[in-house]
Amino acid sequence: MFRIAGAGSVTAARLSAACCRAVTSKQFQVHGASLHVLSSETSRKTRNGPAHRTPPSWQSVRAMASAGESQSKINYLFYGLAVLFGGGGIVYWWSRKYMRETSKDGSTSKKAAAPAAAASKEATEPVAETPVTATTKSEAPPAQPAAAEAPAEAAPDAESKKLLDATPQSYPDYEVMPEIPGHAKYLLIGGGTASFAAFRAIRASDAKAQVLVVTEEEELPYMRPPLSKELWYSDEPKLVEKMKFKQWNGKERSVYYNPPSFYVEPKELAYQENGGVAVVKGRKVMKLDPQKQVAVLDNGWEIFYDKVLIATGGRPRNIPVFERASQEVKDRVTLFRGIKDFKRLDEVSKNASSIVVVGGGFLGSELTCALGKRSRDSSLKVIQMFPEAGNMGKVLPEYLSQWTTAKVRGEGATVKPETFVKRARYSDGKVILKLNTGEEISTDHVVVAVGLEPNTELAKESGLEVDDTYGGFRVNAELEARSDIWVAGDASSFYDIKLGRRRVEHHDHAVVSGRLAGENMTGAKKPYWHQSMFWSDLGPDVGYEAIGIVDSSLPTVAVFAKATEKDTPRAVVEETGESLRSVTETEAEATLPAKEEGVVAESGETTATPEVEGVRETKVFDLANYPFALFPHPESATDEAPAPDVEAAAKLVAEVEAENRVAPTPKEDYGKGVIFYLRDDVIVGVVLWNLFNRMPIARKIIKEGKQHQDLAEVAKLFDLHADED
């Protein structure tokens, strides 16, 4: 590795080109060699950081292309001497003079060849070149030649223009250029959704930004939600092989955010005048040095950076019983997370006779429904087990959790609540699971979907703080861990200015936090306030969206109404053409009520509903059963309509509360509705059950952070009857 001191000056630019050519001429075997131009502290701050490699100018391209092979060896030998003597004035001046006077065939020429090593930073005004005379030849070199002004470039002639427009492969030093750049103004660690959102935000603010992404996966940035949803419902195997899926509306889409043509090769990134995004695949960043601003890869390679984003996401959490199991058992266990895991499970499900899914959360329930659908057309048996009382029991109120469990069973799966694995062993090609109930299950494969462990291996070696309570890198409201280091996505423990410190593991949070981090990397200095949402689909007919702190241990208030054919995931995708509802709900911002001070409609004050101490209540209101005069249908509301009977409404609400101090008996179908999650009588979370395109309203309610005396009145803002006939 050559390191040249000199802050990207004319001298440094010339020496860097010289060293590359010297290495080429000697035919050295170079593997991963890097040429860094190291700057001083002052110039580093003004020239995009240390290790700034300047692309060759048209003059240097022409000169290098026309230089003779034998002569170039002699020429660059003098440059090597200049490096060894630390830029000594005599050696540098004499070598420069020699090159000016020597042409391609070695003859003396009056024409100066200084453009062969033009300055990397273009001057604002052209400067006429001084002819070489007998007088100037005999003059002593200037006292401090390194501090001289960089000569400006003249307009290229036709021949030079052709060389300049040539592809990077035509550059003489292209073949010895390192595969991974030695410097990146914006370095993104991790190739998931957070990085994708970040480089979009960076490029939106800095149109010529050069962004380098380093990811452990052998994939370009892709979306994860379809891996447990739509990809399993496609009837075209060849489509799935290409990692394409049909949205609920039948339109095809790739899981990759951008086609390969969108990205540039990493080694070409520095030559992109209009910037671009390059992805280094299959590499892991092992350490950051915040003071030197350098990232060290797993192969020892160093990348200097100006700004860096840590978006390492998380790894699937395992459970001890499988961690301690034999290798034969481990070989038949999938910790589901990415494309590689999807492909493996897809293949297993085509040949296995049984699959056990461990986990009753979002991912486990979605995969169980997807595999259950596949089992209808085969002999595959699907079993789901979890320690909670029902599917998504940590999120949904008990009655909705029980309803969801029945829905999963209806998809063809066997569901075992309040069940967990005590031991696992291998026998005759099968995995034998001993359960806490005493039962033993024999299966071909096990899928573990019990959450994520944030990837924080960088923290210890890089001097970054990890949150002991929530996990992840501890960052401030601007998502900054240390100066010029940001963290976004699953791996960030951030300070929410409305809800306090949190860590969120959902697609939309990766989008929101990645976008915010990218904006702040370009100088926005924005705090986290835009509440991210998440969604889950149990197939094309049942789904829900949620936002904020959604915890089944909190008190909840729910309001339900009759569902219509439009109240399904399939219908919302058919209407919007977008399967990622984080995109759909952003487009719905324009539907927010125009009222500026507070979200709740002004329909009169109501008496506060009584609270029962010591009882964690679940209150359920069904608007379909309320008297019309109390809650008029929005379509029938007119200026002449009578005002709501506030006293009667308060009395009715109190009666419903008294009847529902214990969770109600599950109904066959809850249709659609809204569930409020309360903390200190303030709404901190909202679940929209089969209710879509209303998330901006929920977001604004949480942002206001007010105590509401009548949540049934708040529920009216979601227009539950909008699609009824």
Side-chain angles (χ1 to χ4, degrees):
M1 176 186 292
F2 296 96
R3 292 195 177 182
I4 302 171
S9 62
V10 178
T11 305
R14 287 169 176 159
L15 293 179
S16 64
C19 290
C20 283
R21 290 292 299 164
V23 170
T24 304
S25 65
K26 292 180 180 293
Q27 296 183 350
F28 286 158
Q29 197 73 11
V30 179
H31 293 286
S34 173
L35 185 60
H36 296 304
V37 182
L38 302 181
S39 66
S40 64
E41 180 66 20
T42 302
S43 62
R44 182 181 65 77
K45 294 296 184 182
T46 59
R47 292 188 58 79
N48 298 336
H52 177 79
R53 192 196 302 105
T54 306
S57 65
W58 69 269
Q59 293 169 320
S60 61
V61 171
R62 180 183 181 185
M64 285 190 291
S66 61
E69 182 63 20
S70 60
Q71 189 61 50
S72 65
K73 294 181 181 180
I74 299 175
N75 294 345
Y76 289 110
L77 176 62
F78 291 119
Y79 274 104
L81 291 174
V83 175
L84 294 176
F85 286 94
I90 298 297
V91 176
Y92 167 73
W93 171 78
W94 192 62
S95 62
R96 182 181 178 188
K97 170 190 167 189
Y98 185 86
M99 291 184 67
R100 282 201 306 265
E101 297 176 348
T102 306
S103 63
K104 181 176 179 180
D105 58 0
S107 61
T108 302
S109 172
K110 296 293 184 180
K111 183 177 181 181
S120 59
K121 183 177 180 181
E122 295 182 2
T124 56
E125 296 181 2
V127 179
E129 187 178 9
T130 304
V132 180
T133 64
T135 303
T136 58
K137 290 180 182 178
S138 61
E139 290 178 353
Q144 295 181 347
E149 289 286 339
E153 295 182 0
D157 55 24
E159 181 182 353
S160 300
K161 187 68 168 59
K162 291 180 180 179
L163 289 170
L164 183 63
D165 293 338
T167 60
Q169 285 80 355
S170 66
Y171 296 158
D173 62 344
Y174 183 82
E175 292 183 358
V176 299
M177 287 169 55
E179 293 296 329
I180 304 175
H183 171 261
K185 183 175 182 180
Y186 300 102
L187 175 63
L188 311 183
I189 304 174
T193 297
S195 280
F196 164 74
F199 71 63
R200 285 190 63 183
I202 290 171
R203 295 274 294 165
S205 301
D206 184 354
K208 295 188 176 182
Q210 295 175 349
V211 183
L212 181 65
V213 180
V214 178
T215 174
E216 289 185 65
E217 293 192 76
E218 296 289 348
E219 305 287 348
L220 294 172
Y222 63 91
M223 60 186 80
R224 297 186 190 275
L227 301 183
S228 61
K229 298 180 178 71
E230 294 94 336
L231 273 170
W232 292 95
Y233 292 84
S234 176
D235 297 326
E236 301 179 26
K238 292 184 178 180
L239 193 66
V240 176
E241 290 175 4
K242 298 177 181 178
M243 295 311 297
K244 292 184 177 181
F245 63 94
K246 286 188 176 181
Q247 300 181 141
W248 299 138
N249 62 354
K251 293 184 179 179
E252 293 183 6
R253 184 171 184 176
S254 172
V255 300
Y256 296 100
Y257 288 112
N258 299 111
S261 59
F262 170 83
Y263 303 95
V264 301
E265 288 296 325
K267 67 190 306 180
E268 298 177 15
L269 182 61
Y271 294 92
Q272 305 300 313
E273 293 185 2
N274 294 323
V277 180
V279 180
V280 176
K281 297 181 287 187
R283 286 298 174 193
K284 181 178 181 180
V285 176
M286 305 299 293
K287 177 183 177 181
L288 292 178
D289 188 329
Q291 293 181 330
K292 296 181 180 179
Q293 292 187 267
V294 62
V296 182
L297 305 190
D298 52 359
N299 63 347
W301 186 260
E302 293 182 350
I303 303 175
F304 289 86
Y305 63 82
D306 290 9
K307 313 286 183 182
V308 63
L309 171 68
I310 300 174
T312 49
R315 60 185 180 276
R317 183 182 290 119
N318 203 349
I319 55 180
V321 66
F322 294 118
E323 291 177 342
R324 299 191 302 262
S326 65
Q327 190 60 45
E328 290 86 357
V329 172
K330 292 179 180 178
D331 291 341
R332 291 161 177 79
V333 174
T334 295
L335 306 180
F336 197 90
R337 176 62 174 166
I339 285 180
K340 180 178 65 175
D341 305 315
F342 166 79
K343 290 181 177 179
R344 183 189 185 193
L345 187 58
D346 178 54
E347 186 63 29
V348 167
S349 65
K350 295 175 182 177
N351 303 302
S353 59
S354 68
I355 295 178
V356 170
V357 179
V358 178
F362 308 103
L363 181 60
S365 298
E366 290 173 357
L367 286 174
T368 302
C369 286
L371 291 170
K373 175 187 178 296
R374 181 166 292 187
S375 69
R376 296 177 185 175
D377 302 324
S378 66
S379 59
L380 176 65
K381 182 179 181 181
V382 181
I383 303 172
Q384 183 190 24
M385 60 182 66
F386 44 81
E388 295 82 24
N391 287 76
M392 291 176 281
K394 293 182 179 180
V395 175
L396 299 177
E398 184 178 353
Y399 57 93
L400 274 183
S401 176
Q402 295 295 330
W403 187 93
T404 304
T405 302
K407 167 65 178 175
V408 175
R409 285 176 174 147
E411 293 295 321
T414 300
V415 182
K416 294 180 176 294
E418 299 179 327
T419 303
F420 57 89
V421 181
K422 295 186 67 176
R423 286 191 299 274
R425 60 186 175 87
Y426 176 78
S427 177
D428 297 330
K430 299 282 187 178
V431 177
I432 311 300
L433 304 177
K434 182 66 177 292
L435 309 182
N436 62 312
T437 60
E439 180 184 2
E440 281 194 349
I441 294 178
S442 175
T443 185
D444 295 310
H445 202 81
V446 178
V447 181
V448 178
V450 292
L452 295 178
E453 292 283 353
N455 285 325
T456 57
E457 290 88 348
L458 271 174
K460 184 177 181 180
E461 295 293 331
S462 308
L464 302 177
E465 184 180 3
V466 175
D467 194 306
D468 294 333
T469 303
Y470 300 98
F473 296 89
R474 192 177 178 90
V475 298
N476 59 19
E478 288 79 29
L479 304 182
E480 196 170 18
R482 287 186 62 175
S483 178
D484 296 327
I485 301 177
W486 286 262
V487 187
D490 301 337
S492 66
S493 171
F494 62 98
Y495 181 76
D496 187 321
I497 59 177
K498 286 297 180 181
L499 302 177
R501 187 156 295 279
R502 308 173 62 202
R503 191 175 70 83
V504 180
E505 299 176 356
H506 293 293
H507 172 88
D508 188 62
H509 172 68
V511 174
V512 171
S513 61
R515 180 173 63 238
L516 176 63
E519 292 173 350
N520 287 343
M521 291 173 77
T522 58
K525 297 182 179 180
K526 295 180 180 179
Y528 185 99
W529 66 266
H530 182 86
Q531 293 297 327
S532 61
M533 54 86 72
F534 61 92
W535 80 96
S536 180
D537 292 342
L538 302 178
D541 299 321
V542 177
Y544 64 88
E545 300 174 356
I547 189 172
I549 299 177
V550 180
D551 187 338
S552 60
S553 66
L554 293 173
T556 61
V557 174
V559 181
F560 289 94
K562 183 179 179 181
T564 69
E565 294 181 355
K566 296 182 179 181
D567 300 314
T568 65
R570 188 198 307 273
V572 71
V573 176
E574 288 177 349
E575 179 182 354
T576 63
E578 177 58 61
S579 62
L580 295 177
R581 293 211 279 285
S582 54
V583 177
T584 302
E585 64 97 10
T586 301
E587 296 173 350
E589 291 283 354
T591 64
L592 275 172
K595 184 175 174 55
E596 295 292 336
E597 298 179 359
V599 175
V600 180
E602 293 181 323
S603 58
E605 294 288 336
T606 62
T607 305
T609 55
E611 296 184 3
V612 180
E613 295 184 2
V615 178
R616 185 167 285 160
E617 297 184 320
T618 300
K619 315 173 184 90
V620 180
F621 305 94
D622 191 340
L623 294 184
N625 296 328
Y626 276 10
F628 179 79
L630 296 181
F631 299 96
H633 194 289
E635 294 180 357
S636 63
T638 62
D639 295 337
E640 293 78 23
D645 190 337
V646 175
E647 293 183 0
K651 181 178 179 181
L652 183 58
V653 168
E655 291 175 355
V656 173
E657 287 183 345
E659 294 174 357
N660 290 285
R661 292 180 184 175
V662 181
T665 303
K667 301 179 180 179
E668 292 184 359
D669 189 353
Y670 280 97
K672 62 180 178 180
V674 53
I675 302 102
F676 300 111
Y677 292 72
L678 308 176
R679 187 171 65 187
D680 299 328
D681 296 327
V682 175
I683 298 174
V684 295
V686 178
V687 168
L688 301 181
W689 184 264
N690 272 343
L691 192 64
F692 309 102
N693 297 330
R694 313 287 205 283
M695 192 53 65
I697 302 173
R699 176 174 288 111
K700 191 170 183 182
I701 291 173
I702 293 177
K703 183 181 178 182
E704 288 187 338
K706 292 182 177 180
Q707 291 185 350
H708 298 286
Q709 294 179 331
D710 189 351
L711 293 177
E713 190 71 18
V714 178
K716 291 170 61 179
L717 295 170
F718 293 90
D719 205 6
L720 293 173
H721 295 284
D723 297 323
E724 292 183 9
D725 295 332

